[in-house]
Structure formats: C-alpha cells, structure tokens
C-alpha cells in the first residue's frame, strides 16, 4: 500500500509526507472524531491493526468506545507508517521499561526509531501527538470534574484550587489534571502507584497563585480542544524552562470538519485532500 493510497483511507487523517520528522521542540497534534461515517470506515480497516489491538477492540461492550479505540489506533498506525516509510501493519509498537519499577509497561515506543508519540481518546474524540523527543498528551471531558478527581491530586494542588474563586475551580482542576497526566504519560509511569498525588505541578499560570511548574527538562502546554474537552501536552526538552513548544494542528478543525488545505498549521507538503471511498481500497499488497 503506497503512502498516496493510505492518504485516502480516512478522510480526517492528513498524513505526513514519507520520512517526516518533527523539528526540535515541536509537536504535531491530530484531533479526530469518531462520527458514524469515519467510524464505519475505520471498522472496515481493522486488518491493519495488530492482533493485540484487535483483541482490545473486541473487548469493548460499548460500540462508541470500540469505534473510538479503532479510529485512534488505526490513525496512529497510518501516521507512523508514513513517517517510517512502511506499511501500517508493519509498524511495531513496544513498551519502554517503566522508570519506577523497570518492568516493560512504560510509555509506548517505536523500536529503532527516534520518533516519539502519544495517544489519548475519550468518548468519540481522539488526539495524537508526534514529536522528536518523549511526549505525552491527555484529553479529558469537562464534565469529568468532581470531588473524587480533586482528591487524587497533590495536597498543594488541592489547596491552590480551593483558594480560587468558585467559578475558576473546575477549570483549574481540569487544567491541572490534563497537564499532569500528559507529563506522566510522556515520562512513562502512567497514573498508577500514587504518582498523581506525589507529583506537584499545580494549575497553569493563567489561574495565578501556586504553580510548581513542569518538572525539570520538560515543557507543558495547553492544547486547543473541541468544545466540552480540555487537553494538554508534555514534551521532553533541553531548552530553557518556561519556553513553549510549537504546535501544528492537523486532521480536523475544532468543529469536526476536515481542516482547510490553506490552514497554516497543516503538515508541510501534504497533498491536496481528494478522498476516495474506502470500498475502493482492495487491501494492502
């Protein structure tokens, strides 16, 4: 299957040119929506997933969750395949050792490649990040905010949020959560073993007051998200603290439509978006 053919498989996925590599301190972000048409197209392409991904997809009782999972992993494989110049089924994704316990359940990696990526999906929305160094991305629904979520944060963060005016507490809590989860995903430990409560990042600077900021060597940045969601990314960097990475947004605009070809954030050299039906694709040679 050629890169040009892969470009047409999912209308929402604007693929990078073959061999693409992000620049230093740069993150490419795709926002995708599992609308009925896209979800149906993705379900027809599950043979491009590996066996473990297909088992995981089949384990979901909810059709919506299964559709979103399949779209997320299929889109990731299409993007990575173009960057690596290989077929989607040939992309091998493994797990790095966990930084805490050194067991093989850390962040997902591409063996023998300097590309780094992260994936987050919730309900019917997917976000994928691609970067030249370790990266983490998190997407959360706004209505997920509750007291239980607050109690999982560091005591300093809980206190800082309580001190805010009532109208700012929920946005600050969600901002703190997505920034922290993005970092833990990029670092490789994930949310288990009490990492959320031990790590003190604080709400973003837009909320004033306490903000411990990102861990040394990392950049944290909010991401534009569809209505009803919040998102953030964390990027490993050698630059001075406080600098923000550059973000290029691809795939869809925030209303769920394919991004306009003239959008300055589209990937460089991506061919014009002229789509063919997935039924016209006969499979991968």
């Amino acid at each position: 299957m050629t890169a040009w053919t892969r470009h047409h498989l999912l209308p929402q996925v604007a693929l990078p040119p073959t061999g693409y590599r992000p620049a230093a301190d740069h993150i490419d972000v795709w926002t995708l929506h599992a609308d009925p048409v896209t979800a149906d197209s993705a379900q027809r392409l599950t043979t491009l997933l590996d066996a473990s991904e297909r088992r995981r997809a089949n384990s979901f009782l909810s059709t919506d969750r299964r559709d979103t999972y399949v779209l997320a992993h299929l889109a990731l494989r299409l993007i990575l395949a173009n960057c690596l110049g290989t077929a989607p089924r040939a992309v091998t994704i493994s797990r790095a050792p966990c930084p805490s316990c050194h067991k093989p359940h850390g962040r997902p990696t591409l063996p023998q490649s300097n590309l780094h990526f992260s994936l987050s999906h919730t309900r019917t929305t997917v976000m994928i990040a691609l970067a030249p160094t370790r990266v983490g991305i998190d997407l959360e629904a706004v209505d997920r905010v509750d007291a239980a979520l607050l109690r999982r944060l560091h005591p300093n963060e809980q206190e800082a949020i309580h001190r805010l005016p009532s109208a700012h507490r929920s946005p600050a809590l969600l901002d703190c959560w997505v920034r922290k989860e993005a970092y833990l995903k990029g670092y490789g430990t994930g949310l288990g073993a009490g990492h959320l409560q031990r790590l003190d990042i604080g709400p973003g600077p837009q909320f004033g007051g306490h903000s411990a900021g990102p861990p040394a060597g990392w950049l944290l940045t909010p991401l534009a998200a569809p209505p009803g969601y919040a998102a953030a990314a964390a990027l490993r960097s050698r630059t001075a603290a406080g600098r923000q990475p550059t973000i290029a947004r691809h795939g869809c605009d925030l209303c769920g439509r394919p991004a306009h070809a003239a959008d300055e954030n589209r990937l460089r050299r991506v061919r014009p978006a002229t789509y063919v039906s997935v039924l016209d694709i006969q499979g991968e040679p």
Side-chain angles (χ1 to χ4, degrees):
M1 182 181 293
T2 66
W4 180 231
T5 301
R6 288 198 296 269
H7 181 65
H8 297 298
L9 291 178
L10 289 175
Q12 290 190 12
V13 183
L15 294 180
T18 302
Y20 174 75
R21 293 294 186 274
D25 289 343
H26 176 84
I27 308 173
D28 288 293
V29 177
W30 283 260
T31 303
L32 310 171
H33 303 273
D35 58 78
V37 173
T38 304
D40 182 66
S41 296
Q43 287 295 334
R44 296 169 186 266
L45 296 166
T46 54
T47 56
L48 299 184
L49 303 178
D50 68 20
S52 64
E53 290 168 325
R54 291 195 296 272
R55 284 194 299 271
R56 176 62 174 156
N58 291 332
S59 72
F60 289 110
L61 299 178
S62 163
T63 300
D64 286 347
R65 292 186 65 189
R66 182 173 65 249
D67 287 347
T68 303
Y69 176 90
V70 169
L71 173 61
H73 287 260
L74 178 60
L76 176 64
R77 282 188 169 272
L78 291 170
I79 291 165
L80 295 177
N82 258 35
C83 292
L84 299 173
T86 189
R89 273 199 296 248
V91 174
T92 300
I93 298 173
S94 62
R95 290 278 179 174
C98 171
S100 295
C101 67
H102 307 295
K103 294 181 180 179
H105 58 211
R107 59 190 176 85
T109 63
L110 293 170
Q112 301 178 341
S113 172
N114 58 0
L115 270 176
H116 298 263
F117 64 93
S118 184
L119 173 66
S120 184
H121 53 85
T122 183
R123 298 180 183 171
T124 59
T125 302
V126 175
M127 294 189 86
I128 297 170
L130 186 71
T133 55
R134 282 184 285 167
V135 65
I137 193 170
D138 187 48
L139 170 74
E140 301 291 345
V142 169
D143 61 10
R144 190 188 173 194
V145 173
D146 58 22
L149 199 68
L150 179 64
R151 289 194 294 270
R152 296 181 67 185
L153 298 180
H154 189 279
N156 291 346
E157 295 168 336
Q158 296 183 42
E159 182 180 352
I161 291 169
H162 277 305
R163 288 200 304 264
L164 292 171
S166 58
H168 295 171
R169 290 172 191 162
S170 290
L173 168 54
L174 196 58
D175 174 83
C176 184
W177 182 275
V178 295
R179 293 164 74 244
K180 178 177 283 194
E181 184 166 346
Y183 164 72
L184 289 172
K185 289 171 72 173
Y187 183 61
T189 58
L191 307 186
H195 297 300
L196 277 168
Q197 289 188 316
R198 288 198 297 270
L199 177 66
D200 181 13
I201 288 178
Q206 69 271 32
F207 296 102
H210 163 77
S211 180
W218 287 83
L219 303 176
L220 296 179
T221 183
L223 296 174
Y229 295 89
L235 181 69
R236 183 73 169 139
S237 175
R238 295 180 180 178
T239 59
R243 177 176 174 177
Q244 291 295 299
T246 60
I247 307 293
R249 184 167 56 85
H250 315 295
C252 297
D253 66 17
L254 299 186
C255 298
R257 299 171 301 212
H260 193 277
D263 188 331
E264 65 179 2
N265 286 331
R266 290 292 296 272
L267 282 170
R268 295 181 295 277
R269 302 187 303 280
V270 169
R271 297 177 175 88
T274 54
Y275 306 120
V276 298
S277 168
V278 69
L279 298 177
D280 296 333
I281 305 302
Q282 298 303 316
E284 184 177 356

